[in-house]
Amino acid sequence: MYTQGLDLVSGGGKPEAPKSEEEARLEAEFQKKIDAEIRIEPTDWMPEGYRRTLIRQISQHAHSEIVGMLPEGNWVTRAPTLRRKAILLAKIQDEAGHGLYLYSACETLGVDRHELYEQLLAGKAKYSSIFNYPTLTWADIGIIGWLVDGAAIMNQVPLQRCSYGPYARAMIRICKEESFHQRQGYELCMALAEGSPEQRRMLQDALDRWWWPILMMFGPPDKDSWHTAQSMKWKIKRFTNDELRQKFVDAVVPQAERLGLRIPDPHLRWNPERGHYDFGEVPWDEFWRVIKGDGPCNRQRLEQRRRAWEEGRWVREAALAHAEKRRRRQSEAA
Ligand SMILES: [Fe+2]
Ligand SMILES: [Fe+2]
């Protein structure tokens, strides 16, 4: 997972007024490289706004990966078969790996990952709103794989062409893994769809609860997304939030039909003139509430992350002490 185009807070993304002629020249050269699709690398000159936008976006993405492990972790001990448990464990471990690549990509921009963790644990950093919803039944695990990871792919495939090299390269491997996540989720949903009437009801109930929060994953509507235009100019973003949301709806409606599921939106219908599905208004009030910290599980998620951080303290300290001992032995031997 999962970026959300959460371009909501000030303090990032806006290009600074050039301070000097030299800076104006550098900035023009920078934009020329971007326009020519030349990747920006960590040691290249970049405008401060570009760096800040990337730090914000990549760290939100990293936080989303590791917070996203929690709702699924809730079902590891209750997976119905050994096969399902192995798949779920592998998927959750992948998400931890995604967090690691992304924190590393962020560090190439000159920020320390501990600083980023601290922002998350202090409740100052954002992560994808979707992980503040509870996983009430086993069907939720199928819906998350199929649709939450499916939405993540929609977001992340264009990020493989992001102008910043380390982020784009991290995305290539992440997208391959997300595609496995999406397929295992759909396969789980297929098993339930072909199961008993009770299993089918459970699946429909999960879709009913998750549908609108999943559409919120693409971020606020374009008219409320402050930095989209600048991010598109810098080729950090290739599509707007609304464009990605539309692509997602167009892709998943036929998949839902194949499962015999009903999308919980009375306004959803194919529009032959547009060549797209029309759909109803996303409940944005709920989105803003969850983003501001008042979703069903916000407190619980941060609490779990804080506990993991505290309980892992001795491991980090032991690893550092071990590394220090080895370094000392090596220098003594030399
Ligand atoms: Fe992921
Ligand atoms: Fe995933």
Side-chain angles (χ1 to χ4, degrees):
M1 271 252 65
Y2 317 84
T3 63
Q4 192 159 35
L6 285 174
D7 303 329
L8 313 168
V9 284
S10 55
K14 270 184 204 149
E16 313 243 295
K19 289 185 184 87
S20 64
E21 238 171 72
E22 171 65 359
E23 219 167 346
R25 189 188 60 77
L26 285 167
E27 204 156 326
E29 244 170 50
F30 173 83
Q31 189 61 47
K32 224 192 267 167
K33 268 167 85 177
I34 301 256
D35 294 341
E37 302 285 338
I38 297 170
R39 284 268 158 81
I40 306 301
E41 297 298 339
T43 50
D44 294 345
W45 185 89
M46 62 186 81
E48 205 32 48
Y50 179 81
R51 184 190 304 276
R52 278 207 312 268
T53 300
L54 279 169
I55 290 176
R56 191 189 60 228
Q57 176 167 335
I58 302 173
S59 64
Q60 282 174 359
H61 193 164
H63 298 328
S64 302
E65 300 285 353
I66 65 165
V67 177
M69 297 165 72
L70 300 172
E72 290 179 297
N74 182 34
W75 280 90
V76 169
T77 54
R78 288 175 286 163
T81 65
L82 183 60
R83 176 173 169 267
R84 291 287 176 206
K85 193 197 287 270
I87 294 171
L88 184 58
L89 270 173
K91 178 199 190 287
I92 295 171
Q93 284 179 6
D94 284 353
E95 306 299 6
H98 299 172
L100 278 179
Y101 313 153
L102 290 164
Y103 284 120
S104 301
C106 224
E107 285 191 319
T108 65
L109 292 157
V111 58
D112 189 277
R113 74 179 66 188
H114 286 118
E115 200 181 309
L116 301 172
Y117 287 151
E118 272 158 21
Q119 288 169 3
L120 173 68
L121 300 182
K124 287 186 204 144
K126 303 226 180 299
Y127 56 86
S128 180
S129 58
I130 195 70
F131 302 119
N132 292 311
Y133 290 85
T135 41
L136 301 181
T137 71
W138 175 248
D140 292 27
I141 299 304
I143 294 289
I144 288 178
W146 167 34
L147 295 176
V148 173
D149 291 86
I153 296 173
M154 217 40 115
N155 254 324
Q156 291 174 176
V157 163
L159 287 173
Q160 295 177 107
R161 294 188 296 128
C162 166
S163 58
Y164 188 57
Y167 193 27
R169 288 189 288 274
M171 244 3 98
I172 292 170
R173 175 154 175 189
I174 290 179
C175 282
K176 287 197 178 122
E177 293 177 349
E178 294 302 354
S179 145
F180 154 72
H181 299 172
Q182 195 266 350
R183 279 181 244 180
Q184 66 81 34
Y186 195 74
E187 197 252 353
L188 199 168
C189 291
M190 267 165 58
L192 293 176
E194 288 160 6
S196 65
E198 208 183 337
Q199 285 173 314
R200 282 198 294 277
R201 268 200 303 277
M202 186 168 78
L203 185 61
Q204 180 66 55
D205 167 69
L207 179 65
D208 291 347
R209 283 181 289 110
W210 286 91
W211 177 252
W212 292 106
I214 285 168
L215 291 193
M216 296 171 201
M217 283 177 66
F218 297 94
D222 292 349
K223 63 179 171 50
D224 298 329
S225 185
W226 297 354
H227 303 307
T228 291
Q230 182 61 65
S231 279
M232 304 264 294
K233 190 172 170 223
W234 279 334
K235 298 195 178 167
I236 295 173
K237 256 177 139 161
R238 300 273 176 168
F239 297 97
T240 70
N241 297 353
D242 287 338
E243 284 168 351
L244 289 169
R245 193 165 10 248
Q246 180 73 63
K247 273 159 83 92
F248 176 78
V249 171
D250 290 347
V252 301
V253 170
Q255 295 169 359
E257 280 166 4
R258 242 166 283 141
L259 293 171
L261 289 170
R262 182 186 40 77
I263 304 269
D265 177 359
H267 300 288
L268 183 87
R269 59 182 56 84
W270 177 252
N271 181 332
E273 271 156 45
R274 290 201 312 124
H276 292 291
Y277 282 94
D278 291 337
F279 53 97
E281 176 74 4
V282 176
W284 291 114
D285 290 355
E286 176 181 323
F287 170 75
W288 295 112
R289 225 178 29 246
V290 176
I291 282 294
K292 285 176 187 145
D294 198 20
C297 299
N298 295 55
R299 285 167 203 82
Q300 185 188 332
R301 299 291 183 240
L302 278 188
E303 197 37 55
Q304 276 174 287
R305 288 297 343 157
R306 284 188 200 117
R307 204 179 334 122
W309 180 251
E310 283 309 319
E311 286 173 359
R313 186 180 293 281
W314 71 272
V315 180
R316 294 192 299 277
E317 286 171 358
L320 285 171
H322 179 66
E324 173 60 22
K325 205 157 132 193
R326 269 182 63 169
R327 195 195 55 75
R328 231 183 304 127
R329 277 204 197 122
Q330 272 165 0
S331 68
E332 272 165 24

